Amino acid sequence: MASPTVGVLALQGDVREHLAALSAAGVRAVPVRREAELAAVDGLVLPGGESTTMSTLLGVFELLEPLRARLAEGLPAYGSCAGMILLASEVLDGRPDQQQLGGLDVVVRRNAFGRQVDSFETDLEVTGVEGGPVRAVFIRAPWVEKVGAEVEVLGSVPHVEQAGESAGRAVAVRQGTVLATAFHPELTGDGRVHKLFADIVREG
Ligand code: GLN
């Protein structure tokens, strides 16, 4: 696919930053709020924000089932932070009524970093991202506690002193055409993770 259209779920969260990062990665980037808009994209970004709010709004906008169906059919997707939580098959410390989209066979712990500090930054290597470590910004972020057999861990928190309990935790994962990071590459101006996702969409 030479020039795919990639949507950003635009119910809540840092939509604009993802649209800008996708445009910079050379794809057509569009906001998605309606089922018809979802049907027209070749890939979808689930932004950072608040997963419980997005979960409620997915119900209000009647996007829950259409989105689950497209993910089950293999729609390439990239979730950052809250987006990772939405894609996960299971969430620890979630709100009981919080809905999961599936697509990523992982168990994540919500607000995992928040138990020690609200935000944390570090450099970490991400498999598939060339050119040195990525600056990872964690904002009340989840981490991945368990991965299914088909999930590849692309990056983990390095064992630096400030990492505390998060040291060694998986924070970037991929399962086929589904990518997720607990951190926010859309906030740093480093376009390499979005470029990786754009390549996944082009190949997918
Ligand atoms: N804590 C948020 C949640 O549960 C995620 C925070 C973020 O996306 N920066 O969805």
Side-chain angles (χ1 to χ4, degrees), residues 15-103:
V15 175
R16 256 193 312 174
E17 290 80 354
H18 279 289
L19 288 169
L22 287 168
S23 298
V27 297
R28 199 170 94 85
V30 295
V32 167
R33 284 187 201 88
R34 307 266 168 221
E35 192 175 346
E37 293 165 341
L38 175 64
V41 298
D42 305 305
L44 185 71
V45 168
L46 299 116
E50 177 48 57
S51 58
T52 54
T53 306
M54 276 189 248
S55 162
T56 304
L57 291 172
L58 281 167
V60 171
F61 281 72
E62 294 177 356
L63 278 174
L64 211 44
E65 289 317 321
L67 189 43
R68 281 183 178 139
R70 283 222 65 190
L71 288 167
E73 287 161 9
L75 177 72
Y78 166 45
S80 82
C81 200
M84 172 193 255
I85 298 173
L86 286 169
L87 290 169
S89 46
E90 194 184 331
V91 179
L92 305 174
D93 295 337
R95 210 174 62 189
D97 64 341
Q98 166 158 22
Q99 302 282 333
Q100 298 314 122
L101 298 170

Side-chain angles (χ1 to χ4, degrees), residues 175-189:
Q175 179 176 358
T177 58
V178 177
L179 179 70
T181 61
F183 52 88
H184 295 270
E186 73 277 14
L187 300 181
T188 60

